């Protein structure tokens, strides 16, 4: 199975959600980041630290920008969607679950020819079981962002498995409290998991031990 993790925007908690999914779907799981940009600690290293799983990063660009923008800025070649698909297929032959974490929001371009994470998911869905998880915020504005993301995915023939709430505060305000129930209503998707605020700051062993309590279904 190939599990895709995308988000409604950058900074919504995709990497921590990816680590939680790695624990959830383990033990025979590998996490792949097609293209990493910027950052002192690559996302795959955060996942490795929290989840303790195998990871792979296929390309890295130094500037904290969308991958195609970062590549054009430097005049750097980056792998096309077909190359990413070949790498993921190879990993899927060796592992029960491959988790692919996108960059930024769902339609962020991963290469300089316009390829996106949904394009990669559609390519791999031709010959593999594919599940797509949408990571979202719970604060004000998330209903619009999440609906737009889900509509964009459905418009490309991809039905998400469900939503992951990336950072749920212990004491939510009015909007945060309402949105935890409004999000499934407006999208028609179940909330598969709700990660507490600052989950990524937990010690790895505690993180792994608490993952099961954050998920509502497999």
């Amino acid at each position: 199975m190939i599990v895709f993790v995308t988000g409604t925007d950058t900074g919504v908690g995709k990497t921590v959600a990816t680590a939680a999914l790695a624990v959830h779907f383990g033990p025979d799981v590998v996490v792949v980041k097609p293209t990493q940009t910027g950052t002192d600690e690559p996302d795959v290293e955060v996942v490795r630290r929290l989840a303790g799983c195998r990871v792979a990063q296929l390309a890295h660009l130094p500037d904290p920008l969308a991958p195609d923008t970062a590549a054009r800025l430097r005049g750097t070649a980056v792998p096309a969607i077909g190359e990413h698909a070949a790498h993921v297929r190879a990993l899927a032959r060796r592992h029960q679950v491959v988790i692919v974490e996108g960059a930024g929001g769902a339609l962020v371009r991963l290469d300089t020819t316009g390829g996106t994470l949904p394009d990669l998911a559609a390519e791999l869905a031709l010959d593999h079981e594919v599940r797509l998880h949408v990571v979202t915020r719970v604060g004000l504005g998330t209903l619009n962002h999440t609906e737009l993301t889900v509509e964009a995915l459905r418009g490309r023939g991809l039905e998400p498995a469900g939503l992951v709430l990336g950072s749920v505060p212990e004491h939510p305000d009015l909007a945060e409290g309402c949105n935890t129930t409004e999000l499934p209503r407006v999208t028609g998707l179940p909330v598969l998991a709700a990660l507490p605020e600052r989950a990524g700051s937990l010690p790895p062993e505690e993180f792994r031990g608490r993952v099961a309590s954050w998920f509502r279904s497999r």
Side-chain angles (χ1 to χ4, degrees), residues 134 146 150 154 159-163 183-192:
V134 177
T146 308
V150 171
R154 286 174 173 156
E159 179 63 23
L163 307 174
L183 280 164
R185 183 184 68 82
V186 301
T187 62
L189 295 174
V191 172
L192 301 177

Side-chain angles (χ1 to χ4, degrees), residues 120-193:
L120 180 57
E123 167 69 20
L124 290 166
L126 296 174
D127 49 20
H128 284 81
E129 178 190 356
V130 166
R131 290 187 56 167
L132 201 150
H133 295 68
V134 177
V135 183
T136 184
R137 296 185 175 94
V138 294
L140 193 65
T142 193
L143 299 182
N144 177 64
H145 295 159
T146 308
E147 281 194 83
L148 288 173
T149 299
V150 171
E151 283 187 14
L153 295 170
R154 286 174 173 156
R156 287 159 174 77
L158 298 167
E159 179 63 23
L163 307 174
V164 176
L165 308 184
S167 180
V168 179
E170 184 178 359
H171 303 290
D173 62 22
L174 178 62
E176 291 163 342
C178 289
N179 287 338
T180 57
T181 55
E182 288 295 286
L183 280 164
R185 183 184 68 82
V186 301
T187 62
L189 295 174
V191 172
L192 301 177

Side-chain angles (χ1 to χ4, degrees), residues 41-75:
E41 184 181 21
D43 292 346
V44 291
E45 293 307 319
V46 175
V47 172
R48 190 203 306 270
R49 172 170 52 81
L50 290 174
C53 65
R54 300 177 182 89
V55 298
Q57 179 178 286
L58 305 184
H60 179 262
L61 298 160
D63 301 291
L65 301 165
D68 68 325
T69 305
R72 293 178 191 280
L73 178 68
R74 299 278 180 170

Side-chain angles (χ1 to χ4, degrees), residues 80-123:
I81 290 299
E83 295 174 76
H84 290 315
H87 281 290
V88 174
R89 283 191 175 101
L91 290 169
R93 288 193 290 269
R94 302 195 300 270
H95 300 281
Q96 185 177 5
V97 179
V98 180
I99 301 178
V100 183
E101 182 191 349
L107 299 188
V108 167
R109 291 167 172 81
L110 300 180
D111 61 28
T112 53
T113 61
T116 64
L117 192 75
D119 294 324
L120 180 57
E123 167 69 20

